[in-house]
Amino acid sequence: MEELATKLLAEGIQKKVVSPGKGELSTFPDGTKVIFHYRSSLCDGTVLDDSRTMGGRSKPMELILGKKFKLAVWERVIATMREGEVADFTCDVKHTALYPLVSQSLRNISAGKDPLEGQRHCCGIAQIHSHHSLGHCDLDQLQANPQPLVFTLELMEVLTPGSFRLDIWAMTDEEKLEVVPQIHVEGNTLYKKGDVKEAAEKYHNAIACLKSLQMKERPGDEGWIKLDLMITPLMLNYCQCKLIQGQYYEVLDHCSSIISKYEDNMKAYFKRAKAHAAVWNETEARADFAKVVELDPSLGPSVAKELRAMEERIRSKEKEEKGRYKSLFSYDSNAPATVTTG
């Protein structure tokens, strides 16, 4: 360990073990997934980021080694840690120059935003030397005046390559195509169990895999169409989940997009009709239900059932509104009249 500490010191990194870990030190081959909590601070103790509180929740960082993470020093120091270990790493400026950009991405993720939101389309070094604000005063100051930082890391778990499913961003194109059918099946299983929210997330992830591949194709080309035909059934399953969750306008958007490309997609019309009915678009709902029967006459009884349910909801709504208007304009005949004089 002393030899390892000496090597780090020579690289401009000072390690201080706060709590020792357990077991043997991993070899950390490329493709290893490490899960850890981090706290980033200035040398005076000012905390910049803390994964235990960022975004109002405690969520550890997940990093796959060998994928050229922008803050290379984290990969370097984690390779010196055992599972369960907590350590402080004081790192020279040469290791921390890109931290403002990394921090901005981490803060965006914790807020549910695009990790690259607010960043210019140029290399990290170019952004450092620009005067472009990162949207956070502390990061702007750090970007203008780079300085050593202290990273307090707690290594929670080390997963060897092949023992876990890669995140979408870390997959190759071949891995994405291979994993989509698996995610689709997992989504279907969850849906049958009634876990609609989790099923929707599975379908969404599968769609994201295929969309990332489709972006590399020219719209309308054979490759693009092939991927779109794979996306469509996943999107319809996703819309079914959103119907159950009451996200009707999202269903309208997605189904309309499908119909604009595939005018004979009966399932898209049926789901859009249900969404229209749910948001009181009676005319549009009737038109879509009629299209469903035109495309598949065997669904006539099912459509008739949906129409009766819609008509009953409309009658109930009209009755409720009449009652509301009646009470609004009613008055007590025994109440004394009020006379005003000018």
Side-chain angles (χ1 to χ4, degrees):
M1 290 298 293
E2 289 184 6
E3 182 182 352
L4 194 56
T6 302
K7 285 183 178 180
L8 287 177
L9 199 57
E11 296 173 26
I13 303 169
Q14 183 176 348
K15 177 178 180 179
K16 177 184 176 184
V17 176
V18 177
S19 177
K22 56 186 178 182
E24 296 297 320
L25 185 67
S26 171
T27 56
F28 295 99
D30 284 352
T32 298
K33 184 175 187 177
V34 291
I35 302 173
F36 61 98
H37 274 294
Y38 63 89
R39 184 174 69 246
S40 307
S41 313
L42 301 179
C43 290
D44 65 5
T46 301
V47 176
L48 297 169
D49 298 303
D50 189 335
S51 62
R52 295 187 184 277
T53 59
M54 187 177 285
R57 58 178 178 156
S58 178
K59 183 174 175 57
M61 176 80 174
E62 298 184 4
L63 187 63
I64 297 177
L65 305 183
K67 294 290 183 178
K68 297 184 179 179
F69 182 60
K70 192 172 286 186
L71 195 67
V73 71
W74 275 7
E75 291 197 31
R76 176 69 183 96
V77 299
I78 282 173
T80 72
M81 301 179 71
R82 291 180 168 84
E83 278 195 22
E85 181 179 331
V86 181
D88 292 335
F89 297 92
T90 303
C91 304
D92 285 353
V93 175
K94 64 182 179 181
H95 297 297
T96 65
L98 289 175
Y99 185 75
L101 296 175
V102 172
S103 175
Q104 183 193 36
S105 293
L106 294 173
R107 294 181 188 187
N108 283 344
I109 291 170
S110 70
K113 300 178 182 178
D114 182 339
L116 299 180
E117 182 175 316
Q119 293 187 15
R120 290 182 171 180
H121 297 288
C122 56
C123 72
I125 298 299
Q127 290 197 53
I128 290 171
H129 295 295
S130 75
H131 298 289
H132 178 61
S133 173
L134 297 175
H136 303 275
C137 291
D138 56 346
L139 299 184
D140 287 343
Q141 292 172 7
L142 187 59
Q143 183 171 244
N145 302 288
Q147 56 189 284
L149 296 176
V150 180
F151 300 118
T152 302
L153 307 183
E154 179 181 357
L155 184 56
M156 312 288 290
E157 191 174 3
V158 178
L159 300 172
T160 57
S163 66
F164 59 93
R165 176 180 289 169
L166 289 170
D167 292 325
I168 292 172
W169 63 266
M171 292 181 183
T172 63
D173 290 354
E174 292 75 19
E175 287 169 335
K176 289 176 183 177
L177 281 174
E178 185 178 331
V179 80
V180 164
Q182 299 173 30
I183 302 176
H184 196 164
V185 170
E186 290 169 5
N188 291 348
T189 301
L190 288 166
Y191 182 83
K192 289 174 183 176
K193 289 180 179 179
D195 296 332
V196 176
K197 182 179 179 181
E198 291 79 5
E201 187 173 343
K202 290 289 185 182
Y203 296 137
H204 183 273
N205 288 342
I207 291 166
C209 276
L210 295 174
K211 288 277 189 182
S212 68
L213 297 176
Q214 195 180 41
M215 288 174 63
K216 300 178 181 180
E217 303 286 344
R218 185 189 298 274
D221 282 359
E222 183 180 352
W224 188 95
I225 293 171
K226 183 178 179 180
L227 289 166
D228 206 58
L229 291 172
M230 295 172 67
I231 291 169
T232 299
L234 286 162
M235 185 63 77
L236 288 169
N237 286 1
Y238 177 76
C239 286
Q240 179 61 29
C241 294
K242 290 300 170 179
L243 270 176
I244 295 172
Q245 293 178 303
Q247 303 294 320
Y248 304 119
Y249 288 102
E250 187 173 356
V251 175
L252 291 175
D253 287 343
H254 290 311
C255 286
S256 293
S257 177
I258 292 172
I259 290 168
S260 69
K261 293 177 287 187
Y262 310 105
E263 295 180 358
D264 60 348
N265 193 301
M266 177 275 298
K267 291 183 178 179
Y269 279 107
F270 209 155
K271 295 183 195 306
R272 191 173 74 170
K274 289 182 178 181
H276 275 309
V279 296
W280 311 104
N281 296 338
E282 182 183 1
T283 302
E284 292 85 349
R286 288 187 181 279
D288 279 352
F289 279 131
K291 188 68 176 179
V292 169
V293 176
E294 177 188 324
L295 292 170
D296 189 347
S298 70
L299 290 173
S302 297
V303 167
K305 182 179 178 181
E306 293 288 343
L307 287 170
R308 286 194 298 271
M310 181 180 71
E311 290 161 359
E312 179 59 35
R313 287 178 63 245
I314 291 172
R315 282 195 294 271
S316 296
K317 182 184 180 186
E318 290 174 345
K319 184 177 179 180
E320 181 183 331
E321 289 177 344
K322 285 180 181 178
R324 190 182 301 122
Y325 291 142
K326 185 177 180 181
S327 63
L328 183 64
F329 292 106
S330 65
Y331 63 93
D332 186 348
S333 60
N334 295 320
T338 300
V339 178
T340 58
T341 57

